[in-house]
Amino acid sequence: MIDVNTPIIYICDYDFVRVDNIISQSLNQKKIFEWNPATGTTNFSNKLPLGSGKEQSLESFLYDKYMDESGSEKYLVLKEIHDYLDDSVIKSLLLLMSQRRLYDPEYNITIIILSTTLKVPNEIEKYVSFLEVDYPDENEINALIEEHIDINFYDRSKFTQSDRDKLMPSLKGMTAFEIDRMLDMAMSSNGSLSAEDTEMILKQKKQMVKKSGLLELIDTPEKLSDIGGMNALKDYLERKAKIIKQLSEAYKFGVSIPKGIFIVGMPGCGKSLCAKASAALFEAPLLKLDMGSMMGKYVGESESNLRKAIRIAEAASPCVLWIDEIEKAFSGVKDGNSDILMRMFGYFLSWLQDKKSAVYVIATANNAENLPPELKRKGRFDEIFCVNLPNEKEREDIFKVHFQKRNRNVSFDISKLIKQTDGFNGADIESVVVEAIEECFLDKTKSFTEQLLIEKAKETVSISRSCKKQIDTMKTLFKDSSFKNATNGLIIDNM
Ligand code: ATP
């Protein structure tokens, strides 16, 4: 960025020590000036206020540097100045300095804004480039672990390679500062560091990821066997799991890294269940991305949020990134009426297309009618599956899953029940079983029979009745030949 004369580089991060180190390393021996609201003009190396220091306002600091005629190369690190960016004089100084940086070859000052909050006023947006500092990789995480072992005088022989391998995935996707805190907590809880700390770290990490407001770390107790029907989709996921679990060998062999799948289908038919069961099958964490929460107030904020979320996922890989209700996020793109949405969509698509990391994306949608065609095109996702309402065999399987889940050893025939539940989705079937069991519990004269289940089914307003219009639309949509049927794997046109 510096080489192409970027006037302002914006780094949104809160690990100032780490970013300062990166700045020092990149700008080795160059003149760096710091200003922050606490100590004013500050010595970048030792963090002590300089000269008049605290008395110098941001305005006078910038004014001095704007008037600089020395022609020498200088870097200004402005920390936590987001609250000052509403001030018209500050905005104007930043604008003038940016223009001077671009048009005056004698003026060689680059501004680096380092802030915990992203806020870029419209007036200077064109001169700002955003820079994201990557999360620590395995080497850096290992270095942090070593540091903690040394500081705590922990017996190194007690920390085995297997401990390290088990701990590593849980420490990925966090900043160095957060990893430090986790290791401190692990050490102080029982005076040791081992694979047993993984559970505590994951618990803390869950909170952290949630606090970021962009992603959620979801528990995945579900197994593939908890899904009734969808055999083609389940077989497909089992094949991919074999690849993901030995990714580096597969890659060396020439196998393409799985990108992910797009599951479109009727509501309550088990799409979310599939996302959860896949993560468990891949033995990888499940990160749920809420597109709605990406939208920010300031210029560049929404894109930055999406980039940040993707960066967390990449750092936490191998993982499954679940984008639920993707239609809600990107349906506006088709009309081209939102620049922000278009940019986010473009970024997401190119990331998906070029993705080299082991982030397996599962996007789910109830309604793909208004989705931009680019998303449905092959090459973005490995496959697009459509989930129809379950057929007879699938309804039987789903009933069996829910009987088993609730410890009902059912030996009676349920063929009439299967017929009765035509047009039901998985969630409807589950509710029939739940209602019948509740009835037996409350009224001890009742027994769990096919007749009782049929009664409950008759009382249920199934999906095909409550969402008739949506289902009809979906059926038309499924005529799209690029969709594969989750039940039998056939391309929809061949059905
Ligand atoms: P929505 O699109 O409305 O979010 P969905 O397709 O993601 O729905 P799920 O949330 O996965 O549906 O399903 C809701 C509940 O219905 C599940 O928790 C599960 O108990 C039951 N269910 C749905 N489909 C199946 C299935 N194929 N096998 C077993 N249970 C199912």
Side-chain angles (χ1 to χ4, degrees):
M1 284 182 186
I2 289 166
D3 286 347
V4 294
N5 288 348
T6 305
I8 304 178
I9 300 170
Y10 202 118
I11 306 176
C12 185
D13 204 296
Y14 59 87
D15 195 345
F16 288 180
V17 176
R18 184 161 180 253
V19 180
D20 276 356
N21 279 335
I22 294 171
I23 293 175
S24 306
Q25 282 164 25
S26 341
L27 302 176
N28 191 18
Q29 307 295 335
K30 304 265 165 61
K31 279 192 189 151
I32 308 175
F33 297 83
E34 176 174 336
W35 190 94
N36 69 64
T39 50
T41 313
T42 301
N43 181 323
F44 185 72
S45 315
N46 64 16
K47 303 294 163 211
L48 293 174
L50 266 184
S52 55
K54 204 167 158 25
E55 288 85 57
Q56 190 174 27
S57 66
L58 178 59
E59 184 182 323
S60 90
F61 175 78
L62 291 177
Y63 182 78
D64 283 356
K65 301 293 179 277
Y66 170 55
M67 300 305 283
D68 186 279
E69 292 297 341
S70 68
S72 64
E73 189 176 346
K74 290 185 184 123
Y75 296 88
L76 313 185
V77 177
L78 310 178
K79 282 188 187 152
E80 285 295 83
I81 62 155
H82 48 268
D83 285 340
Y84 295 76
L85 290 174
D86 290 325
D87 185 296
S88 56
V89 179
I90 302 288
K91 277 193 281 197
S92 177
L93 277 163
L94 291 172
L95 182 71
L96 292 170
M97 290 169 85
S98 301
Q99 289 175 346
R100 228 187 132 188
R101 175 81 176 100
L102 288 177
Y103 298 111
D104 179 353
E106 300 298 313
Y107 188 75
N108 210 350
I109 294 185
T110 304
I111 297 168
I112 300 172
I113 298 179
L114 171 56
S115 183
T116 50
T117 307
L118 188 105
K119 180 170 170 180
V120 181
N122 284 326
E123 295 88 330
I124 57 166
E125 187 215 337
K126 296 272 180 290
Y127 302 105
V128 177
S129 289
F130 301 99
L131 183 73
E132 262 136 23
V133 179
D134 282 339
Y135 287 101
D137 58 16
E138 287 199 10
N139 287 337
E140 285 174 275
I141 297 176
N142 269 324
L144 288 167
I145 293 177
E146 292 302 316
E147 220 172 78
H148 276 260
I149 289 178
D150 286 342
I151 296 171
N152 291 282
F153 303 108
Y154 185 60
D155 182 355
R156 195 169 290 272
S157 65
K158 286 192 189 154
F159 187 68
T160 63
Q161 186 59 39
S162 143
D163 284 322
R164 194 184 293 271
D165 291 346
K166 293 219 173 86
L167 219 51
M168 185 57 76
S170 64
L171 292 169
K172 284 177 166 184
M174 292 191 278
T175 64
F177 172 75
E178 288 164 342
I179 297 172
D180 248 348
R181 268 182 47 208
M182 291 293 157
L183 293 171
D184 276 344
M185 280 165 86
M187 282 279 189
S188 63
S189 62
N190 53 6
S192 68
L193 190 64
S194 72
E196 281 172 25
D197 294 309
T198 312
E199 203 178 315
M200 180 279 291
I201 293 177
L202 280 178
K203 225 186 212 165
Q204 296 289 330
K205 186 173 169 183
K206 214 167 168 175
Q207 298 292 328
M208 270 181 206
V209 171
K210 198 169 180 157
K211 254 198 308 190
S212 76
L214 307 172
L215 290 171
E216 199 182 335
L217 192 60
I218 307 264
D219 280 333
T220 53
E222 287 81 0
K223 301 177 291 303
L224 270 202
S225 56
D226 291 330
I227 307 173
M230 294 197 244
N231 287 338
L233 178 52
K234 287 194 284 190
D235 289 348
Y236 177 90
L237 289 169
E238 268 175 337
R239 275 174 70 95
K240 296 294 162 187
K242 285 186 194 142
I243 299 174
I244 286 174
K245 282 197 218 158
Q246 39 177 340
L247 202 63
S248 52
E249 289 92 327
Y251 188 62
K252 274 185 220 142
F253 196 81
V255 177
S256 306
I257 295 181
K259 286 179 197 293
I261 48 169
F262 185 14
I263 312 177
V264 189
M266 309 293 182
C269 282
K271 300 183 297 295
S272 315
L273 204 55
C274 273
K276 292 178 192 163
S278 318
L281 181 70
F282 297 172
E283 293 169 7
L286 178 66
L287 293 166
K288 186 174 170 190
L289 186 145
D290 178 3
M291 280 290 184
S293 68
M294 302 283 127
M295 304 316 256
K297 290 201 288 284
Y298 297 105
V299 176
E301 198 181 356
S302 310
E303 295 100 307
S304 163
N305 282 343
L306 181 59
R307 277 201 300 270
K308 215 186 269 174
I310 286 178
R311 231 157 36 94
I312 297 178
E314 295 221 304
S317 70
C319 69
V320 174
L321 182 66
W322 173 25
I323 308 177
D324 195 18
E325 302 192 328
I326 195 169
E327 75 274 32
K328 289 205 176 139
F330 290 138
S331 52
V333 169
K334 219 171 137 189
D335 322 322
N337 57 6
S338 161
D339 280 357
I340 298 176
L341 216 53
M342 299 277 282
R343 285 205 296 264
M344 287 172 78
F345 183 62
Y347 175 76
F348 176 72
L349 281 191
S350 53
W351 171 74
L352 200 58
Q353 184 117 5
D354 305 334
K355 191 169 67 66
K356 298 276 180 293
S357 59
V359 177
Y360 193 76
V361 180
I362 300 191
T364 52
N366 270 339
N367 183 354
E369 202 188 357
N370 289 320
L371 273 180
E374 295 94 311
L375 202 61
K376 292 186 259 172
R377 208 173 292 148
K378 266 224 168 156
R380 313 291 195 190
F381 292 96
D382 299 325
E383 209 63 76
I384 302 175
F385 280 96
C386 72
V387 186
N388 267 312
L389 287 174
N391 61 26
E392 284 195 8
K393 173 75 185 73
E394 289 181 304
R395 291 202 295 281
E396 184 181 348
D397 286 349
I398 300 173
F399 268 114
K400 285 184 180 158
V401 164
H402 290 288
F403 291 155
Q404 204 172 18
K405 245 182 159 175
R406 290 162 183 84
N407 302 319
R408 298 283 137 171
N409 220 341
V410 170
S411 49
F412 51 80
D413 178 41
I414 53 166
S415 48
K416 285 200 196 92
L417 176 66
I418 303 297
K419 294 262 182 292
Q420 180 65 42
T421 47
D422 186 22
F424 279 44
N425 64 11
D428 295 333
I429 293 175
E430 181 181 20
S431 99
V432 169
V433 177
V434 168
E435 293 287 324
I437 290 178
E438 190 182 291
E439 181 102 1
C440 294
F441 178 73
L442 295 175
D443 182 350
K444 297 286 185 291
T445 62
K446 296 252 167 93
S447 32
F448 194 70
T449 58
E450 185 185 32
Q451 192 47 45
L452 179 66
L453 287 159
I454 291 176
E455 265 172 44
K456 292 293 153 199
K458 283 182 180 162
E459 288 167 15
T460 304
V461 181
S462 72
I463 178 87
S464 40
R465 277 201 276 155
S466 59
C467 303
K468 190 170 179 325
K469 193 160 166 268
Q470 187 179 349
I471 288 178
D472 289 344
T473 317
M474 196 81 83
K475 279 185 186 152
T476 322
L477 183 83
F478 285 170
K479 294 266 155 33
D480 186 325
S481 61
S482 59
F483 289 14
K484 256 190 180 172
N485 189 323
T487 305
N488 52 23
L490 294 178
I491 301 288
I492 299 299
D493 263 4
N494 301 342
M495 278 174 30

